Amino acid sequence: MKSITAYTEEIDDLQLAAKELFDQIKGFEFLKNSIAIIYAEEETDYPALYKELSKEWTFPVIGCTTLGIFLACGEITKIGISVMILTADDCEFSTEVAHSLDRGNYREEIKKTYDLAAERLKDKPRLIITYGARSVSHGMVGGDPIIKYIDELGEGIPIYGGDASDNYVFDEYKIYYNDKAYHKGQLIMLVSGNINPVFAYSDSAGKKAPFSYEITKAEENIVYKVGDRTFAKAMELAGFDVSKGDLKRDYSMTPFTYIETKDNGDRISVARGLSNVDSKTEAGIFLGSMPEGASLSIGLFTRENVAKSVENVFKCIIEEEKKRGVKFGTILITSCSGRSLALAKDSAIEVPLFKHFIREGTGVAGMYAYGEYCPTKGDKTGKEYNMFHNYTFTIMAL
């Protein structure tokens, strides 16, 4: 598989934006099957952009809005439009969108969408790239149940992607598929053929706060009790104020981490963001599922932790290159928007390390997301489990 990336700051004159993107890929050799992945700031009129792109591109276009774009030059920007084109003779791509999902219909709609995409492939899919647009507070289904169900449909093949983001208004995120932009839904892209991706991830939770409990009562993303007390009581005992309603910003520097033990003895660690605390039930409401029986702790988010997580992820990719005796030519990045929010003006700390590890000629595209999808390795068997993450920097290399 080959790839190429292009970028433009232009979002007002979309005819000019398309011309700038076309000019940057001029001379690129397209193979038998191609697809474009676009990341754009939320103010982009995507249907109008697609109208211009489709004048030259006859292959599918997918993507989503994002509050920050990782560029092939090793920079991070909050403005403009980025595109990565994947092309191959020995891979096929097939995409569909499930929209208007809710807690009652998501399994039926996701299955219908997955089956439609799979029917177009000659062989079984070997990779799933997926992007979501959702708001749990609006009664929509969360990211965890969707990723778990897609994992079931895909029989464990790797899943990568993330939830669309916006500039922290939480109401302007969208996913893209060809000429349409969807404010609610899940885009599913299946890839079959000669593809063997590598994944690496690292959360940003460093030094632990004095808070360690077993989750004893939970339902989906709601934690009612830890140990023998309510979640709110446990937080108060540890010196944390949870009296406000919306806590996403207040706790952007204190990611929670749970460690779950699987039936085969594997332990997996997943980072979570705290959304709010219900004053009546004293339950904590998180940005992802919280399994009963898992151990829960609080990490402290620092510049050093962020830098170390980026370095750790790229080192994993380099080690895998050495094992396989190959050089990866394509890198997709999904990083948590919470990292950008917590670091504010210091978010550029990711850039020097990011630049250091990118080789010239490597196709790179990435985004800040409201939730990251990436396989997680068990510590005992090395088996990969498809997971929905928060506060995590992830890479897929091809």
Side-chain angles (χ1 to χ4, degrees):
M1 184 181 294
K2 294 168 52 181
S3 67
I4 190 169
T5 54
Y7 168 74
T8 177
E9 291 185 358
E10 184 61 57
I11 67 165
D12 297 317
D13 184 339
L14 294 174
Q15 188 173 22
L16 175 59
K19 181 181 183 304
E20 290 181 354
L21 296 173
F22 293 150
D23 287 347
Q24 290 173 55
I25 65 169
K26 194 173 291 182
F28 179 69
E29 181 188 7
F30 288 91
L31 302 179
K32 183 178 178 182
N33 300 307
S34 301
I35 194 164
I37 301 174
I38 282 181
Y39 302 125
E41 60 177 297
E42 72 264 21
E43 294 180 3
T44 306
D45 183 349
Y46 170 76
L49 173 65
Y50 177 80
K51 183 178 179 181
E52 296 300 325
L53 295 177
S54 64
K55 291 176 182 178
E56 291 198 20
W57 295 350
T58 58
F59 44 82
V61 179
I62 69 168
C64 65
T65 59
T66 180
L67 62 88
I69 301 168
F70 291 80
L71 301 176
C73 63
E75 300 288 347
I76 301 171
T77 181
K78 293 188 176 182
I79 62 173
I81 301 162
S82 166
V83 59
M84 170 180 275
I85 295 173
L86 301 174
T87 189
D89 286 330
D90 53 3
C91 291
E92 286 187 301
F93 312 103
S94 183
T95 302
E96 280 292 337
V97 175
H99 48 88
S100 300
L101 300 178
D102 59 40
R103 295 173 188 271
N105 72 359
Y106 79 91
R107 290 177 68 89
E108 178 185 354
E109 293 300 319
I110 289 290
K111 186 177 190 311
K112 189 189 306 180
T113 300
Y114 186 96
D115 289 347
L116 282 171
E119 282 173 7
R120 299 196 195 102
L121 298 174
K122 294 176 184 175
D123 300 311
K124 279 190 172 185
R126 297 185 61 186
L127 170 67
I128 302 168
I129 295 177
T130 179
Y131 298 101
R134 83 190 82 260
S135 172
V136 177
S137 61
H138 293 168
M140 292 182 66
V141 62
D144 270 292
I146 285 181
I147 296 306
K148 286 177 182 176
Y149 188 53
I150 295 175
D151 174 64
E152 182 181 325
L153 294 172
E155 299 178 343
I157 64 173
I159 298 172
Y160 191 78
D163 280 354
S165 63
D166 53 26
N167 196 25
Y168 302 116
V169 293
F170 302 103
D171 198 36
E172 295 181 5
Y173 45 74
K174 297 177 183 70
I175 52 174
Y176 306 141
Y177 179 42
N178 287 343
D179 62 333
K180 292 183 173 58
Y182 300 88
H183 183 55
K184 297 178 180 179
Q186 193 77 26
L187 179 149
I188 298 175
M189 167 183 154
L190 305 181
V191 186
S192 64
N194 182 25
I195 188 166
N196 189 17
V198 170
F199 305 93
Y201 70 97
S202 180
D203 65 42
S204 307
K207 183 181 177 182
K208 303 297 182 183
F211 182 97
S212 181
Y213 289 92
E214 179 185 347
I215 300 173
T216 49
K217 185 179 180 183
E219 183 179 348
E220 294 186 356
N221 63 319
I222 303 173
V223 175
Y224 294 99
K225 294 186 74 173
V226 291
D228 60 356
R229 51 180 60 97
T230 66
F231 176 78
K233 284 286 192 297
M235 290 291 285
E236 289 167 6
L237 282 170
F240 292 98
D241 181 8
V242 292
S243 59
K244 283 187 181 180
D246 190 337
L247 298 170
K248 286 191 286 292
R249 286 182 179 270
D250 289 0
Y251 281 81
S252 62
M253 300 292 284
T254 50
F256 289 73
T257 302
Y258 76 74
I259 297 176
E260 180 183 14
T261 303
K262 298 290 187 180
D263 291 341
N264 63 359
D266 269 343
R267 298 197 320 158
I268 58 170
S269 174
V270 179
R272 283 286 177 259
L274 178 63
S275 176
N276 54 71
V277 170
D278 187 311
S279 59
K280 293 182 179 178
T281 64
E282 298 188 341
I285 302 171
F286 288 82
L287 300 177
S289 293
M290 304 292 280
E292 287 184 358
S295 60
L296 182 65
S297 61
I298 300 178
L300 301 177
F301 200 97
T302 66
R303 288 167 52 94
E304 291 74 20
N305 295 344
V306 171
K308 190 172 181 60
S309 66
V310 175
E311 185 176 7
N312 288 343
V313 166
F314 275 103
K315 282 183 175 179
C316 287
I317 296 298
I318 290 169
E319 284 301 312
E320 193 61 32
E321 282 186 328
K322 290 177 180 177
K323 286 180 187 176
R324 296 190 183 193
V326 299
K327 297 290 185 183
F328 297 120
T330 300
I331 288 177
L332 274 175
I333 297 171
T334 307
S335 185
C336 178
S337 62
R339 294 162 64 98
S340 175
L341 176 64
L343 292 171
K345 293 180 181 179
D346 291 332
S347 60
I349 191 173
E350 291 187 307
V351 173
L353 282 168
F354 176 47
K355 273 186 171 180
H356 175 73
F357 287 106
I358 299 298
R359 285 192 300 268
E360 186 176 351
T362 302
V364 179
M367 68 159 189
Y368 281 113
Y370 282 160
E372 307 80 63
Y373 320 150
C374 184
T376 302
K377 278 189 178 181
D379 66 346
K380 183 179 178 182
T381 68
K383 177 183 175 180
E384 291 187 326
Y385 301 87
N386 288 313
M387 300 296 295
F388 176 85
H389 302 264
N390 304 135
Y391 287 102
T392 303
F393 182 87
T394 76
I395 282 181
M396 178 178 72
L398 301 170

